[in-house]
Amino acid sequence: MTATDPNETFRQEARELLESLEQSLLDLDQNPEDRDLVDTAFRALHTLKGSGAMFGFDEVADFVHDFETAFDQVRKGKADIGPKLISIALAAKDHVTKLIAEPGVHAAGGAPILGELRSIVATGKNAAPKDVAAVAEPTPLAEGMQSWRIRFRLPDDALMLGTNPALLLAELRELGDCIVTALSDDVPLLEEIDVEVCYLHWDVVLNTTRGQDAIEDVFIFLRDGMDLNIELIEAPPVGVNGDAVAPALSADAPSGASKIKQGGRKPGSSEQASSSLRVPAERLDELMDRVGELVIAQARLLQIASVSDDGSLKAVAEEIERLASGLRDTTMGIRMVPIGTLFGRFRRLVHDLSSELGKDIEFLTSGEETELDKTVIERLADPLVHVIRNSVDHGLEDPVRRAAAGKPVRGRVKLAAVHKGAEVAISITDDGAGLDVERIRAKAEEVGLVAPDAKVADHDLFQLIFHPGFSTAKEVTSVSGRGVGMDVVKRTIDALRGSIDVVSTRGEGTTVTLRLPLTLAIIDGMLVRVGNSRYTIPLSAVEECVELPNAVSSGGKGRNFLNIRGSLIPFLRLRELFKTQAPADLHQKVVIVSAGEHRVGLVVDQILGNNQTVIKSLSKLHSDVETFSGATILGDGTVALILDVVHLVRFGQNFEERLRNMHSGRAA
């Protein structure tokens, strides 16, 4: 087993802290009066500074220290929060990302950013900040302040590990006025002193408007092995001159004190700290592969047991099936990630596009708790970036045009996710100008995608925007217009076995919906037989099964629809589609499947039952075969192809439209 790289550990933690910082800054852009957001951003900076110093990323620690010092004026209410401050703070966050990614390369680029940040802060509502560190004596408590007693003893090896107690005390002073008393009770005789051991401990009385969490954050990297006692003093003593004074030391803290010892966590927090565990993604992938092999072996065992007279073997096979099913579900659950982890990235994208294009944009999200397989989420980032950029650039009008159209000056882009069966629908909706059908048609005819006299539905025309190089933009911008991005979207979604729907109303806006499977690893499938071959249909797409009526079983004389409780549903004969030569069964079955709002029937010879299906990708030679999305190994060792329901439903809908057009032409 390879040892964990400390630098990679820091980078991973830093990514999470930087994401938290970015989200806090973007939230502050919308809610500048929210002090909790300011505290969250400051805590992220403070933790990042400490981690950088601990792991030897000195450039990061130095830059973040200056960043934190400037931002501290915001935290203390001495500078207003506005768009300029947020923009330069986001630029500073980006610079930290570069320093972490390429140490020693970007150090010089931080000075202009810090200079501008200091300039913005200096012109805040209190241009002359008070030097808190220079306060020698605490002042009487002002309204909203509380007085705290902090007593702490550092671990014996703190000095050896690079901890500087003076810096900790300076950070406490930044929280408010305080009296610091160094206690030397444990200092041994000179000849017994070990220069690497910290013998002093401290007693601090702090007057601050900040809460206990802010005090604990000062010691965030030292809690393991140290003694920390934080006590709220209800009524701080007052001296003869009216100044607050340090209370006499007591052997035991009162019942209201918060004690943190030998591990530095509040009682009960150890359970919370151990409730999650960071695991490398490749280990999850390997676990999923092993579970997949187990499912195949379990199916083989069940096949053998089904033809055996040994009752014990049947019992063991059933027990293993139950355990394998539970292990599969648990493993799948581990791989499922809330899509909100992806949605958060696009707030910054929209914020930057808003500034670049001069458009006032409200960005809304919903369904962040919707879960998807981590593999799907990892590959979704680029397609969503392209769709959102197009919505902002081409979809939303500029403020002048919106006002002329009677719309609010502020445009709206909404990103939403929702579960639908065993798929997730992710929609990007804007309230812009909508797609121009005439312009799309003209461009399609110009490049030869559509014949001039062909009848093409709007839905099919909209799909042309995903054709390589297709663009109706009048000019190429830095954001879009080359007809490349949407082609990437199409190819990525197809590779994920998903589909794309586009709905647009001229003058009102456009909705692009990406429909994706929940997972790419293991699914429940319905095994069917067509001729002598077996195929798997994803069970999540199956709505019901009916028997094919005798009236249409022999060919149907043009009838290619079933009446299911008053609804006409087109059906496809898989025997014809797959050119099966074996004779058909006497009583064929129809499996009704759906994708989105559309349904189609698949005519098969026999329904064999349900099974757990481990998805195996087809080779590159078969990558262009749209009818199948993969293959699976059955219990008897043979291979069954997995039907691509989305493609078949689309094929059935087009087939239905062709029939209707043909009948309407005859009627005319």
Side-chain angles (χ1 to χ4, degrees):
M1 183 182 297
T2 57
T4 303
D5 180 6
N7 289 345
E8 187 54 38
T9 299
F10 167 71
R11 288 190 174 97
Q12 193 166 1
E13 292 180 354
R15 277 194 294 271
E16 296 174 2
L17 290 168
L18 289 170
E19 285 178 11
S20 172
L21 174 62
E22 183 173 276
Q23 296 308 313
S24 299
L25 291 172
L26 292 171
D27 286 337
L28 276 171
D29 196 26
Q30 303 296 322
N31 304 290
E33 303 301 322
D34 192 329
R35 306 313 298 176
D36 288 339
L37 291 174
V38 175
D39 290 343
T40 300
F42 192 83
R43 275 197 296 272
L45 286 172
H46 188 70
T47 307
L48 190 60
K49 178 183 72 172
S51 295
M54 184 188 305
F55 285 92
F57 284 76
D58 295 334
E59 291 175 351
V60 174
D62 293 342
F63 180 84
V64 174
H65 174 73
D66 293 336
F67 184 1
E68 179 188 37
T69 301
F71 199 77
D72 190 40
Q73 302 305 308
V74 178
R75 187 183 61 145
K76 293 175 179 175
K78 297 175 180 177
D80 287 328
I81 297 171
K84 285 181 64 178
L85 175 65
I86 296 299
S87 293
I88 194 63
L90 287 170
K93 172 261 171 187
D94 292 342
H95 184 70
V96 175
T97 303
K98 293 179 182 178
L99 291 176
I100 294 171
E102 299 178 290
V105 177
H106 303 283
I113 297 174
L114 289 174
E116 188 172 351
L117 181 60
R118 293 191 190 102
S119 175
I120 293 172
V121 169
T123 56
K125 61 185 179 183
N126 287 324
K130 182 174 68 173
D131 185 3
V132 179
V135 176
E137 293 293 333
T139 57
L141 290 182
E143 184 179 354
M145 274 197 174
Q146 291 178 311
S147 188
W148 298 84
R149 162 173 276 175
I150 305 117
R151 286 177 287 187
F152 65 94
R153 183 193 304 270
L154 298 177
D156 289 344
D157 59 354
L159 298 181
M160 185 176 61
L161 295 176
T163 300
N164 186 345
L167 294 178
L168 297 175
L169 296 172
E171 290 187 25
L172 287 175
R173 288 191 179 98
E174 290 179 0
L175 297 179
D177 302 342
C178 62
I179 292 176
V180 177
T181 304
L183 306 177
S184 56
D185 314 17
D186 297 336
V187 177
L189 297 174
L190 183 60
E191 59 270 17
E192 298 175 2
I193 286 181
D194 183 343
V195 295
E196 294 182 339
V197 174
C198 180
Y199 296 105
L200 293 175
H201 51 288
W202 287 267
D203 183 278
V204 181
V205 176
L206 170 67
N207 295 339
T208 180
T209 57
R210 309 296 303 284
Q212 182 172 330
D213 287 344
I215 299 172
E216 291 180 4
D217 283 346
V218 172
F219 304 95
I220 192 168
F221 297 105
L222 297 165
R223 291 183 173 181
D224 290 339
M226 77 174 293
D227 290 347
L228 176 61
N229 184 294
I230 302 173
E231 172 190 349
L232 177 61
I233 305 169
E234 298 298 339
V238 179
V240 293
N241 62 351
D243 291 337
V245 296
L249 298 179
S250 59
D252 298 313
S255 59
S258 170
K259 294 184 179 180
I260 305 175
K261 296 195 175 202
Q262 300 301 330
R265 295 185 180 91
K266 296 179 183 177
S269 67
S270 59
E271 290 80 7
Q272 295 176 356
S274 62
S275 64
S276 62
L277 181 67
R278 195 188 301 274
V279 178
E282 55 269 17
R283 292 191 183 179
L284 285 182
D285 293 337
E286 185 177 349
L287 175 62
M288 194 72 250
D289 290 341
R290 295 288 183 271
V291 172
E293 297 301 323
L294 176 62
V295 169
I296 292 172
Q298 172 266 319
R300 177 65 175 154
L301 176 61
L302 199 63
Q303 181 90 8
I304 295 172
S306 65
V307 296
S308 171
D309 296 329
D310 189 336
S312 298
L313 178 61
K314 291 180 183 290
V316 170
E318 290 174 0
E319 180 66 9
I320 290 180
E321 180 183 18
R322 183 184 66 81
L323 293 172
S325 178
L327 181 60
R328 178 204 67 166
D329 293 341
T330 301
T331 306
M332 293 298 301
I334 293 173
R335 288 170 57 97
M336 302 302 280
V337 179
I339 203 167
T341 58
L342 180 65
F343 279 13
R345 306 181 192 177
F346 304 119
R347 299 180 61 205
R348 175 69 185 279
L349 172 67
V350 174
H351 175 274
D352 292 347
L353 288 175
S354 176
S355 301
E356 183 178 348
L357 300 174
K359 297 178 179 179
D360 188 7
I361 304 170
E362 180 183 16
F363 183 60
L364 304 174
T365 60
S366 65
E368 290 93 336
E369 70 285 352
T370 305
E371 292 186 332
L372 260 177
D373 191 298
K374 72 171 189 67
T375 307
V376 178
I377 284 185
E378 288 168 357
R379 296 167 65 180
L380 265 181
D382 283 348
L384 286 175
V385 165
H386 287 302
V387 177
I388 291 172
R389 287 167 71 96
N390 271 273
S391 293
V392 172
D393 191 20
H394 297 316
L396 296 181
E397 311 95 329
D398 59 52
V400 175
R401 292 180 182 175
R402 289 184 66 86
K407 294 182 177 181
V409 173
R410 167 174 270 200
R412 175 177 292 182
V413 175
K414 183 175 182 180
L415 179 60
V418 63
H419 273 299
K420 290 190 175 180
E423 68 177 15
V424 169
I426 303 172
S427 60
I428 303 94
T429 303
D430 65 69
D431 65 346
L435 295 177
D436 189 332
V437 178
E438 289 76 17
R439 183 182 294 180
I440 293 174
R441 168 118 198 179
K443 183 69 176 180
E445 292 180 0
E446 177 187 330
V447 297
L449 294 176
V450 173
D453 56 347
K455 290 184 178 180
V456 184
D458 289 352
H459 176 271
D460 294 325
L461 282 174
F462 293 156
Q463 290 294 320
L464 295 178
I465 66 176
F466 300 104
H467 192 274
F470 191 91
S471 176
T472 60
K474 295 180 179 178
E475 59 182 24
V476 176
T477 70
S478 60
V479 177
S480 55
R482 298 185 185 276
V484 177
M486 301 306 277
D487 171 37
V488 172
V489 174
K490 175 68 173 171
R491 283 191 282 111
T492 303
I493 300 305
D494 284 349
L496 292 171
R497 302 199 312 274
S499 63
I500 308 176
D501 294 333
V502 182
V503 177
S504 184
T505 303
R506 188 70 177 152
E508 296 182 13
T510 302
T511 297
V512 178
T513 302
L514 313 179
R515 302 186 187 277
L516 297 152
L518 284 176
T519 179
L520 303 178
I522 301 177
I523 61 171
D524 286 318
M526 173 180 283
L527 192 63
V528 300
R529 181 177 59 80
V530 179
N532 296 323
S533 301
R534 289 177 290 180
Y535 303 91
T536 294
I537 303 173
L539 193 59
S540 58
V542 177
E543 291 198 352
E544 59 183 310
C545 301
V546 298
E547 191 162 319
L548 186 67
N550 291 330
V552 295
S553 60
S554 60
K557 298 182 179 179
R559 287 188 61 192
N560 290 281
F561 294 90
L562 291 176
N563 188 331
I564 305 293
R565 293 181 294 280
S567 297
L568 287 180
I569 298 177
F571 65 84
L572 301 172
R573 300 176 188 272
L574 295 186
R575 296 179 56 82
E576 296 176 3
L577 195 61
F578 300 152
K579 298 181 171 55
T580 301
Q581 300 298 322
D585 279 26
L586 211 58
H587 303 288
Q588 293 179 297
K589 306 295 186 292
V590 183
V591 181
I592 309 297
V593 297
S594 64
E597 306 300 322
H598 304 296
R599 296 194 297 169
V600 71
L602 304 177
V603 180
V604 302
D605 286 325
Q606 185 182 6
I607 296 173
L608 301 176
N610 302 338
N611 63 347
Q612 291 184 11
T613 302
V614 180
I615 302 172
K616 301 289 185 181
S617 299
L618 298 176
S619 69
K620 292 183 178 179
L621 264 163
H622 303 91
S623 59
D624 58 342
V625 180
E626 295 183 334
T627 311
F628 308 111
S629 58
T632 187
I633 302 173
L634 302 177
D636 60 2
T638 60
V639 173
L641 293 170
I642 301 170
L643 298 180
D644 187 330
V645 171
V646 172
H647 172 78
L648 290 172
V649 168
R650 190 183 306 133
F651 185 88
Q653 291 299 120
N654 293 336
F655 181 64
E656 176 188 1
E657 288 183 12
R658 287 197 302 271
L659 279 178
R660 285 176 176 168
N661 291 336
M662 183 176 66
H663 290 315
S664 61
R666 287 175 181 171

